[in-house]
Amino acid sequence: GAVVSQHPSWVICKSGTSVKIECRSLDFQATTMFWYRQFPKQSLMLMATSNEGSKATYEQGVEKDKFLINHASLTLSTLTVTSAHPEDSSFYICSARELGDWQFFGPGTRLTVL
Amino acid sequence: GEDVEQSLFLSVREGDSSVINCTYTDSSSTYLYWYKQEPGAGLQLLTYIFSNMDMKQDQRLTVLLNKKDKHLSLRIADTQTGDSAIYFCAETNTGNQFYFGTGTSLTVIP
């Protein structure tokens, strides 16, 4: 199947700093990428959907100024958590979808904000 | 959004069959999926079923779909300790937005 990678796989940062997470589709072109967040022992929550070259569409309740999403190319999307706080600590998972194909998930990035 | 519900926990003995259940509300679902998540890892697509199918079998996995009752189940035959994980069902009607269940934590007792 198609491969989606995320970098870094885990990150620890201080409160108030910004963290960038990359999501790459390694062997296919992803017209759409999704960002999910998972709290411990809970399901994934869709944060935003981004189409290459367009602004991301955020789900209700997700602060677009805090979670900046960029999908500048067909193989890369980035999520930047700005001015991170401890409550932003979570597991962030991206997925990528090629037009008409399945959605493939990345391995996730664990963010810990101290 | 649409509601997708699962029971939270399931324990089975090694070698027995596991059945994980899922109910959903979206009557226009076209694809329904089962994902497996091991600790600290991302989701792994296990299997899927189209909404016009009743059953799909893939090695030890059997998916049953009751579209009338909006009920999906995943049966794992001969459950092994390596099957211990959280299992998510998900549905979509467009392929763009997925709705996930809360996940069922499967514990396999040796």
Side-chain angles (χ1 to χ4, degrees), chain A residues 11-65:
Chain A
V11 57
I12 302 172
C13 70
K14 291 184 178 180
S15 185
T17 60
S18 294
V19 174
K20 181 185 283 188
I21 302 169
E22 292 185 350
C23 176
R24 292 181 186 274
S25 56
L26 297 186
D27 50 2
F28 67 101
Q29 293 188 323
T31 52
T32 306
M33 285 187 168
F34 306 86
W35 285 97
Y36 296 86
R37 182 175 179 179
Q38 184 184 28
F39 292 100
K41 300 189 187 302
Q42 295 186 29
S43 183
L44 297 180
M45 299 295 293
L46 179 65
M47 298 174 67
T49 303
S50 72
N51 293 298
E52 185 263 340
S54 303
K55 287 186 178 180
T57 302
Y58 290 81
E59 294 298 298
Q60 192 172 9
V62 178
E63 299 174 60
K64 61 178 71 173
D65 294 330

Coordinates of all heavy atoms in Angstrom, one line a residue, chain A residues 11-65:
Chain A
V11 N 8.0 14.7 19.8 CA 8.7 16.0 20.1 C 8.2 16.5 21.4 O 7.1 16.4 21.8 CB 8.4 17.0 19.0 CG1 6.9 17.3 18.8 CG2 9.1 18.4 19.2
I12 N 9.2 17.0 22.2 CA 9.0 17.7 23.5 C 9.4 19.1 23.3 O 10.4 19.4 22.8 CB 9.8 17.0 24.6 CG1 9.4 15.5 24.7 CG2 9.5 17.7 25.9 CD1 10.3 14.7 25.6
C13 N 8.5 20.0 23.7 CA 8.8 21.4 23.6 C 8.3 22.2 24.9 O 7.6 21.7 25.7 CB 8.2 22.1 22.4 SG 6.4 22.2 22.5
K14 N 8.9 23.4 25.0 CA 8.5 24.2 26.1 C 7.2 25.0 25.8 O 6.9 25.3 24.6 CB 9.6 25.2 26.5 CG 10.8 24.6 27.1 CD 11.9 25.6 27.4 CE 13.1 25.0 28.1 NZ 14.1 26.0 28.4
S15 N 6.5 25.3 26.8 CA 5.2 26.1 26.7 C 5.5 27.4 26.0 O 6.5 28.1 26.4 CB 4.6 26.2 28.0 OG 3.3 26.9 27.9
G16 N 4.7 27.8 25.1 CA 4.9 29.1 24.4 C 5.7 29.0 23.1 O 5.7 29.9 22.3
T17 N 6.3 27.9 22.8 CA 7.1 27.7 21.6 C 6.2 27.1 20.5 O 5.1 26.7 20.8 CB 8.3 26.8 21.8 OG1 7.9 25.5 22.2 CG2 9.2 27.4 22.8
S18 N 6.6 27.2 19.3 CA 5.9 26.6 18.2 C 6.5 25.3 17.7 O 7.8 25.2 17.7 CB 5.8 27.6 17.0 OG 5.0 28.7 17.4
V19 N 5.7 24.4 17.2 CA 6.2 23.1 16.7 C 5.6 22.8 15.4 O 4.4 23.0 15.2 CB 5.8 22.0 17.7 CG1 6.2 20.6 17.2 CG2 6.4 22.2 19.1
K20 N 6.5 22.4 14.5 CA 6.0 22.0 13.1 C 6.1 20.5 12.9 O 7.1 19.9 13.2 CB 6.9 22.7 12.1 CG 6.4 22.4 10.6 CD 7.3 23.0 9.6 CE 7.1 24.5 9.4 NZ 7.8 25.0 8.2
I21 N 5.0 20.0 12.4 CA 5.0 18.5 12.1 C 4.8 18.4 10.6 O 3.9 19.0 10.0 CB 3.8 17.9 12.9 CG1 3.9 18.1 14.4 CG2 3.7 16.4 12.6 CD1 2.7 17.7 15.2
E22 N 5.6 17.5 10.0 CA 5.5 17.3 8.6 C 4.8 16.0 8.3 O 5.0 15.0 9.0 CB 6.9 17.2 8.0 CG 7.6 18.5 8.0 CD 8.9 18.4 7.2 OE1 9.3 17.3 6.9 OE2 9.5 19.5 7.0
C23 N 4.0 16.0 7.2 CA 3.3 14.8 6.8 C 3.7 14.6 5.3 O 3.4 15.6 4.5 CB 1.8 14.9 7.0 SG 0.9 13.5 6.3
R24 N 4.2 13.5 4.9 CA 4.6 13.3 3.5 C 4.0 12.0 3.0 O 4.0 11.0 3.6 CB 6.1 13.2 3.4 CG 6.9 14.5 3.7 CD 8.4 14.3 3.5 NE 9.1 15.5 3.9 CZ 9.4 16.5 3.1 NH1 8.9 16.5 1.9 NH2 10.0 17.6 3.6
S25 N 3.5 12.1 1.7 CA 3.2 10.9 1.0 C 4.4 10.5 0.2 O 4.9 11.3 -0.6 CB 1.9 11.2 0.1 OG 2.2 12.2 -0.8
L26 N 4.9 9.3 0.4 CA 6.2 8.9 -0.1 C 6.1 8.4 -1.6 O 7.1 8.5 -2.3 CB 6.8 7.9 0.8 CG 7.1 8.4 2.2 CD1 7.9 7.3 2.9 CD2 7.9 9.7 2.2
D27 N 5.0 7.8 -1.9 CA 5.0 7.1 -3.3 C 3.7 7.4 -4.0 O 3.4 6.7 -5.0 CB 5.2 5.6 -3.1 CG 4.3 5.0 -2.1 OD1 3.5 5.7 -1.5 OD2 4.4 3.8 -1.9
F28 N 3.1 8.5 -3.6 CA 1.9 8.9 -4.4 C 1.7 10.4 -4.2 O 2.2 11.0 -3.2 CB 0.7 8.1 -4.0 CG 0.2 8.3 -2.6 CD1 -0.9 9.2 -2.4 CD2 0.8 7.7 -1.5 CE1 -1.4 9.4 -1.1 CE2 0.3 8.0 -0.2 CZ -0.8 8.8 0.0
Q29 N 0.9 10.9 -5.0 CA 0.6 12.4 -4.9 C -0.8 12.5 -4.2 O -1.8 12.0 -4.6 CB 0.5 13.0 -6.3 CG 1.8 13.0 -7.0 CD 1.8 13.8 -8.3 OE1 0.8 13.8 -9.0 NE2 2.9 14.5 -8.5
A30 N -0.7 13.2 -3.1 CA -1.9 13.4 -2.2 C -2.6 14.7 -2.5 O -2.1 15.7 -2.2 CB -1.5 13.3 -0.7
T31 N -3.8 14.5 -3.2 CA -4.5 15.7 -3.4 C -5.1 16.3 -2.2 O -5.4 17.5 -2.1 CB -5.6 15.4 -4.5 OG1 -6.4 14.3 -4.0 CG2 -5.1 15.1 -5.8
T32 N -5.4 15.4 -1.2 CA -6.0 15.9 0.0 C -5.3 15.3 1.2 O -4.9 14.1 1.1 CB -7.5 15.4 0.1 OG1 -8.2 15.9 -1.1 CG2 -8.2 16.0 1.3
M33 N -5.0 16.1 2.2 CA -4.4 15.6 3.4 C -5.3 16.0 4.6 O -5.9 17.0 4.6 CB -3.0 16.1 3.6 CG -2.0 15.4 2.7 SD -0.3 15.9 3.0 CE 0.6 14.7 2.1
F34 N -5.3 15.1 5.6 CA -6.1 15.4 6.8 C -5.2 15.4 8.0 O -4.3 14.6 8.1 CB -7.2 14.2 6.9 CG -8.0 14.0 5.7 CD1 -7.6 13.2 4.7 CD2 -9.2 14.7 5.6 CE1 -8.3 13.0 3.5 CE2 -10.0 14.5 4.4 CZ -9.6 13.6 3.4
W35 N -5.6 16.1 9.0 CA -4.9 16.1 10.3 C -5.9 15.8 11.3 O -7.0 16.3 11.4 CB -4.3 17.5 10.5 CG -3.1 17.8 9.7 CD1 -3.0 18.4 8.5 CD2 -1.8 17.3 10.0 NE1 -1.7 18.5 8.1 CE2 -1.0 17.8 8.9 CE3 -1.2 16.6 11.0 CZ2 0.4 17.5 8.9 CZ3 0.2 16.3 11.0 CH2 1.0 16.8 9.9
Y36 N -5.5 14.8 12.2 CA -6.3 14.3 13.3 C -5.5 14.5 14.6 O -4.3 14.5 14.6 CB -6.6 12.8 13.1 CG -7.4 12.4 11.9 CD1 -6.8 12.2 10.7 CD2 -8.8 12.2 12.0 CE1 -7.6 11.8 9.6 CE2 -9.5 11.9 10.9 CZ -8.9 11.7 9.7 OH -9.7 11.3 8.6
R37 N -6.3 14.5 15.6 CA -5.7 14.6 16.9 C -6.3 13.5 17.8 O -7.5 13.2 17.7 CB -6.0 16.0 17.5 CG -5.4 16.2 18.9 CD -5.7 17.6 19.3 NE -5.2 17.9 20.6 CZ -5.2 19.0 21.3 NH1 -5.8 20.0 20.7 NH2 -4.7 19.1 22.5
Q38 N -5.5 12.9 18.6 CA -6.0 11.8 19.4 C -5.6 12.0 20.8 O -4.4 12.1 21.2 CB -5.5 10.4 18.9 CG -6.1 9.3 19.7 CD -5.5 8.0 19.3 OE1 -4.4 7.9 18.9 NE2 -6.3 6.9 19.5
F39 N -6.6 12.1 21.7 CA -6.3 12.2 23.1 C -6.2 10.8 23.7 O -6.8 9.9 23.1 CB -7.4 13.0 23.9 CG -7.4 14.4 23.5 CD1 -8.3 14.9 22.6 CD2 -6.5 15.3 24.1 CE1 -8.3 16.3 22.2 CE2 -6.5 16.7 23.7 CZ -7.4 17.1 22.8
P40 N -5.5 10.6 24.8 CA -5.3 9.3 25.3 C -6.7 8.5 25.5 O -7.6 9.1 26.0 CB -4.7 9.5 26.7 CG -4.0 10.8 26.5 CD -4.8 11.6 25.6
K41 N -6.7 7.3 25.0 CA -7.8 6.4 25.1 C -9.1 7.0 24.5 O -10.2 6.6 24.8 CB -8.1 6.1 26.6 CG -6.9 5.4 27.3 CD -7.3 4.9 28.7 CE -6.1 4.4 29.4 NZ -5.4 3.3 28.7
Q42 N -8.9 7.9 23.5 CA -10.0 8.4 22.8 C -9.8 8.2 21.3 O -8.8 7.9 20.9 CB -10.3 9.9 23.1 CG -10.6 10.2 24.6 CD -10.9 11.6 24.8 OE1 -11.4 12.3 23.9 NE2 -10.7 12.1 26.0
S43 N -10.9 8.4 20.6 CA -10.8 8.2 19.1 C -10.1 9.4 18.5 O -9.8 10.4 19.1 CB -12.2 8.1 18.6 OG -12.1 7.8 17.2
L44 N -9.9 9.2 17.2 CA -9.3 10.3 16.4 C -10.4 11.4 16.3 O -11.5 11.1 16.1 CB -8.9 9.9 15.0 CG -7.8 8.8 15.0 CD1 -7.6 8.5 13.5 CD2 -6.6 9.3 15.6
M45 N -9.9 12.6 16.3 CA -10.8 13.8 16.0 C -10.2 14.5 14.8 O -9.1 14.9 14.8 CB -10.9 14.7 17.2 CG -11.4 14.1 18.5 SD -13.1 13.6 18.3 CE -13.9 15.2 18.1
L46 N -11.0 14.6 13.8 CA -10.5 15.4 12.6 C -10.4 16.8 12.9 O -11.3 17.5 13.5 CB -11.5 15.2 11.5 CG -11.2 15.9 10.2 CD1 -9.9 15.3 9.5 CD2 -12.4 15.8 9.2
M47 N -9.2 17.4 12.6 CA -9.0 18.8 12.9 C -9.2 19.6 11.7 O -9.8 20.7 11.7 CB -7.5 19.0 13.4 CG -7.1 18.3 14.6 SD -5.4 18.4 15.0 CE -5.2 20.2 15.3
A48 N -8.7 19.2 10.6 CA -8.8 20.0 9.3 C -8.5 19.1 8.1 O -7.8 18.1 8.2 CB -7.8 21.1 9.4
T49 N -9.0 19.6 7.0 CA -8.8 19.0 5.7 C -8.1 20.0 4.8 O -8.5 21.1 4.8 CB -10.1 18.6 5.1 OG1 -10.8 17.7 6.0 CG2 -9.9 17.9 3.7
S50 N -7.0 19.5 4.2 CA -6.4 20.5 3.3 C -6.2 19.9 1.9 O -5.8 18.7 1.7 CB -5.0 20.9 3.8 OG -4.1 19.8 3.7
N51 N -6.5 20.7 0.9 CA -6.3 20.3 -0.5 C -5.1 21.1 -1.0 O -4.9 22.3 -0.6 CB -7.5 20.7 -1.3 CG -8.7 19.8 -1.0 OD1 -8.6 18.6 -1.1 ND2 -9.7 20.4 -0.5
E52 N -4.3 20.5 -1.8 CA -3.0 21.1 -2.3 C -3.3 22.4 -2.9 O -4.2 22.5 -3.8 CB -2.3 20.1 -3.2 CG -1.0 20.6 -3.7 CD -1.1 21.3 -5.1 OE1 -2.0 21.1 -5.8 OE2 -0.1 22.1 -5.4
G53 N -2.6 23.4 -2.4 CA -2.7 24.8 -3.0 C -3.9 25.6 -2.5 O -4.0 26.7 -2.9
S54 N -4.7 25.0 -1.6 CA -5.8 25.8 -1.1 C -5.7 25.9 0.4 O -4.9 25.2 1.1 CB -7.1 25.0 -1.3 OG -7.3 24.8 -2.7
K55 N -6.5 26.8 1.0 CA -6.5 27.0 2.4 C -7.2 25.8 3.1 O -8.1 25.2 2.5 CB -7.3 28.2 2.8 CG -6.5 29.5 2.5 CD -7.3 30.7 3.1 CE -6.5 32.0 2.8 NZ -7.2 33.2 3.3
A56 N -6.7 25.4 4.2 CA -7.3 24.3 4.9 C -8.7 24.6 5.4 O -9.0 25.7 5.7 CB -6.4 23.9 6.1
T57 N -9.5 23.6 5.5 CA -10.9 23.7 6.1 C -10.8 23.1 7.5 O -10.5 21.9 7.6 CB -11.9 22.9 5.2 OG1 -11.9 23.4 3.9 CG2 -13.3 23.1 5.8
Y58 N -11.1 23.9 8.4 CA -11.0 23.5 9.8 C -12.4 23.0 10.4 O -13.4 23.6 10.0 CB -10.5 24.6 10.7 CG -9.0 25.0 10.4 CD1 -8.7 25.8 9.4 CD2 -8.0 24.5 11.3 CE1 -7.3 26.1 9.1 CE2 -6.7 24.8 11.1 CZ -6.4 25.6 10.0 OH -5.0 25.8 9.7
E59 N -12.3 22.0 11.2 CA -13.5 21.5 11.9 C -13.9 22.5 13.0 O -13.1 23.3 13.5 CB -13.3 20.2 12.5 CG -13.0 19.1 11.5 CD -14.2 18.9 10.5 OE1 -15.3 18.5 11.0 OE2 -14.0 19.1 9.3
Q60 N -15.2 22.5 13.3 CA -15.7 23.4 14.3 C -15.0 23.2 15.6 O -14.7 22.0 16.0 CB -17.2 23.1 14.5 CG -17.9 24.2 15.3 CD -19.4 23.9 15.3 OE1 -19.9 22.9 14.8 NE2 -20.1 24.9 15.8
G61 N -14.6 24.2 16.2 CA -13.9 24.2 17.5 C -12.4 24.1 17.4 O -11.7 24.2 18.4
V62 N -11.8 24.0 16.2 CA -10.4 24.0 16.0 C -9.9 25.4 15.6 O -10.4 26.0 14.7 CB -10.0 23.0 14.9 CG1 -8.5 23.0 14.7 CG2 -10.5 21.6 15.3
E63 N -9.0 25.9 16.4 CA -8.5 27.3 16.2 C -7.5 27.3 15.0 O -6.4 26.8 15.1 CB -7.8 27.8 17.4 CG -8.7 27.8 18.7 CD -7.9 28.2 19.9 OE1 -7.3 29.3 19.9 OE2 -7.7 27.4 20.8
K64 N -7.9 27.9 14.0 CA -7.1 28.0 12.8 C -5.8 28.8 13.0 O -4.8 28.6 12.3 CB -7.9 28.5 11.6 CG -8.4 29.9 11.7 CD -9.1 30.3 10.4 CE -10.4 29.6 10.3 NZ -11.2 30.1 9.1
D65 N -5.9 29.8 13.9 CA -4.7 30.6 14.1 C -3.7 29.8 15.0 O -2.5 30.2 15.1 CB -5.0 31.9 14.8 CG -5.9 32.8 13.9 OD1 -5.7 32.6 12.6 OD2 -6.7 33.5 14.3

